Amino acid sequence: MKIFHPILRAIAIAAMNFLFYSKTIKSWFEKNVFNPYEIDGNKHADYALMQLKNIASHISITGKSILEIGPGGNYYLACLLLKNGAKKVFVIDNENHSFFSNQEIAIYKKLYPESISDDRTINQDKIVVINYGRHETIPLSNKSIDVIYSNAVLEHVYAPKRLLKECQRVLNVGGEMMHQIAYRDHIFSQKSLFFLEIPDLFFDFFFKNTGMWVNRLRHSQWIDLFKTLNNLKTIKIDKQISDLPLIKKQSQSTTEDTETTSALFILKKYAD
């Protein structure tokens, strides 16, 4: 049964993909059946705290305007950033994946009481929520953001070069970007690189409307992509290595690309 489990998982995700061609059905499904962007509220709050500690260990947040890319099912990290000295937090995502249950509202109020408005929605004076389409510009002024952060998000972005160019534009001189990128499979099995063998046409057709789709860029490709950002210098790269088996498609790639499962990139903007 374990042999077939990855295939059954992929079939289930493909079925969700076809349902999600309708955004109305997708929103209803996430709200009432299963939201892949959310886990148990308290566990996610603990996860947000872990993210905060990771950010604070690398970048100063006090008095900073911060842009979080891809908050997913909640804005807990934004609350913690404000609680710990951030001036203002902007969050962008391709769609709204956050639904305000009583439990979630209680967590918001516990983390940062001012985050919730009287109408039980996010207080946009504190946390500015932005819907960002894959071909759009970020509706923020040039050099208006001090820190840009994402965690396990960029691998899900359809047009990462365009998004990063927008990040470069809105980032202030002296500002920093911090991106944790996961290279693992989200469809079949995290213990295999089989997902890299599937042709783009089929991979996109069966999975692109789900939160499990990834752009499948490898470590060296992300390094090259960050190098295209003018006036931004990569100041830190931390990577995690695994012993995933090599596959035919990757036989001509570097060992680093096949073994690296995730990486943390920190970049700093030095000039206009």
Side-chain angles (χ1 to χ4, degrees):
M1 183 62 185
K2 290 183 179 180
I3 296 176
F4 295 101
H5 176 71
I7 297 175
L8 294 175
R9 172 181 164 82
I11 290 172
I13 294 171
M16 290 171 57
N17 175 72
F18 294 122
L19 281 175
F20 291 172
Y21 273 101
S22 166
K23 288 189 176 181
T24 301
I25 293 177
K26 184 176 182 179
S27 179
W28 177 89
F29 188 91
E30 289 180 1
K31 185 176 182 179
N32 298 286
V33 181
F34 172 66
N35 187 354
Y37 302 92
E38 181 62 283
I39 56 177
D40 175 81
N42 290 303
K43 289 183 180 179
H44 219 145
D46 291 340
Y47 183 65
L49 181 59
M50 180 184 71
Q51 288 180 278
L52 172 71
K53 292 178 179 178
N54 189 33
I55 296 170
S57 69
H58 294 94
I59 297 174
S60 172
I61 62 174
T62 303
K64 303 291 181 66
S65 293
I66 300 176
L67 172 63
E68 181 190 2
I69 303 172
N74 62 70
Y75 309 121
Y76 297 157
L77 177 59
C79 291
L80 290 171
L81 289 167
L82 290 166
K83 184 178 181 179
N84 285 271
K87 180 170 67 175
K88 195 164 188 176
V89 178
F90 301 80
V91 294
I92 64 171
D93 214 328
N94 61 335
E95 297 174 30
N96 175 42
H97 303 293
S98 182
F99 306 98
F100 292 86
S101 66
N102 291 332
Q103 180 196 26
E104 288 174 328
I105 290 175
I107 294 173
Y108 281 118
K109 290 183 176 179
K110 180 180 179 181
L111 294 177
Y112 190 69
E114 296 177 64
S115 64
I116 295 296
S117 299
D118 292 338
D119 61 356
R120 294 166 60 86
T121 60
I122 210 72
N123 181 357
Q124 293 267 350
D125 290 332
K126 298 294 182 179
I127 302 172
V128 180
V129 180
I130 301 170
N131 287 325
Y132 174 79
R134 67 186 72 170
H135 301 301
E136 297 175 357
T137 57
I138 298 174
L140 294 172
S141 302
N142 295 352
K143 297 183 290 185
S144 59
I145 296 295
D146 302 306
V147 175
I148 299 175
Y149 172 77
S150 73
N151 180 64
V153 172
L154 291 189
E155 67 269 21
H156 298 284
V157 173
Y158 301 125
K161 185 174 182 178
R162 182 180 181 87
L163 173 59
L164 289 174
K165 286 287 186 182
E166 278 297 288
C167 289
Q168 175 192 19
R169 178 183 65 81
V170 303
L171 188 64
N172 199 3
V173 175
E176 294 173 283
M177 293 201 296
M178 179 175 173
H179 301 291
Q180 182 78 43
I181 305 173
Y183 306 137
R184 62 182 176 83
D185 179 21
H186 292 60
I187 304 294
F188 296 91
S189 171
Q190 296 181 23
K191 298 179 180 180
S192 170
L193 294 176
F194 167 74
F195 76 114
L196 297 176
E197 293 186 283
I198 303 172
D200 291 343
L201 179 66
F202 293 102
F203 193 79
D204 292 351
F205 179 75
F206 285 106
F207 306 119
K208 201 164 190 177
N209 291 316
T210 71
M212 278 66 81
W213 179 91
V214 290
N215 52 43
R216 301 192 289 180
L217 296 180
R218 307 310 292 166
H219 186 62
S220 64
Q221 292 172 297
W222 282 107
I223 291 175
D224 290 341
L225 183 52
F226 285 124
K227 287 179 180 178
T228 67
L229 303 177
N230 296 331
N231 307 321
L232 276 169
K233 182 179 179 181
T234 301
I235 59 176
K236 186 179 182 67
I237 301 177
D238 279 343
K239 60 184 181 181
Q240 293 183 333
I241 302 297
S242 79
D243 56 354
L244 292 178
L246 297 177
I247 61 174
K248 184 177 180 181
K249 184 177 180 180
Q250 294 293 303
S251 61
Q252 302 302 316
S253 299
T254 65
T255 300
E256 184 178 49
D257 274 347
T258 56
E259 291 183 346
T260 305
T261 57
S262 69
L264 171 68
F265 292 86
I266 300 178
L267 301 93
K268 186 170 185 177
K269 189 172 184 179
Y270 284 98
D272 288 328

